[in-house]
Amino acid sequence: MSDDLTAPEHLETEADFEHRWTALLDEMETRFGKRPDLNALLLLIGVQELGQGVAEFTKEQKQDLMHIATCKLFSLSGHYELERVDEDGWPHYKLLRPVPFAFLKEQERMMKWHMLEYFSLED
């Protein structure tokens, strides 16, 4: 996580952040009938970004979808940008600047913050 106290993830209280996260999980549980974990949300975002609808995906394709989701999420903070979409419709991102090193707990919080931003832009 960034040491920059003006970084977006530092501009709200922990209680507000947790409230927004719980509300997102509640909404997803209502929508899909099951409370998602981070990996399920990454897969959902990847499928959404692929834009080909719900389908059966191989294990490798699921990993690719989660990678697409991670790149899309971190594009919101300028770490990646969409480079191209291949002939099969799969997006490819390029790294603009490395995601800062963070310990697992901080990585999880960064991912949650980016997911909250992503879904708020979708509304």
Side-chain angles (χ1 to χ4, degrees), residues 14-24:
E14 194 62 29
D16 289 342
F17 176 82
E18 287 302 324
H19 176 76
R20 286 197 313 138
W21 180 247
T22 300
L24 174 64

Side-chain angles (χ1 to χ4, degrees), residues 37-98:
D37 62 13
L38 283 178
N39 287 334
L41 287 172
L42 280 173
L43 191 57
L44 174 67
I45 293 167
V47 169
Q48 191 163 310
E49 289 303 308
L50 181 59
Q52 297 179 4
V54 177
E56 288 292 320
F57 295 104
T58 66
K59 183 177 180 176
E60 185 177 321
Q61 287 173 322
K62 288 178 181 177
Q63 290 173 333
D64 291 344
L65 287 165
M66 292 170 80
H67 178 71
I68 289 168
T70 301
C71 292
K72 172 61 180 180
L73 290 171
F74 281 95
S75 74
L76 299 175
S77 55
H79 293 282
Y80 287 89
E81 79 176 3
L82 182 62
E83 185 173 39
R84 66 184 177 88
V85 175
D86 69 21
E87 60 279 353
D88 295 324
W90 287 71
H92 294 266
Y93 286 82
K94 71 176 177 180
L95 180 66
L96 297 178
R97 60 189 174 96

Side-chain angles (χ1 to χ4, degrees), residues 101-113:
F101 172 81
F103 292 104
L104 192 58
K105 190 97 171 135
E106 295 165 323
Q107 286 176 356
E108 184 177 297
R109 192 179 195 291
M110 278 193 293
M111 188 64 74
K112 287 178 178 180
W113 183 86

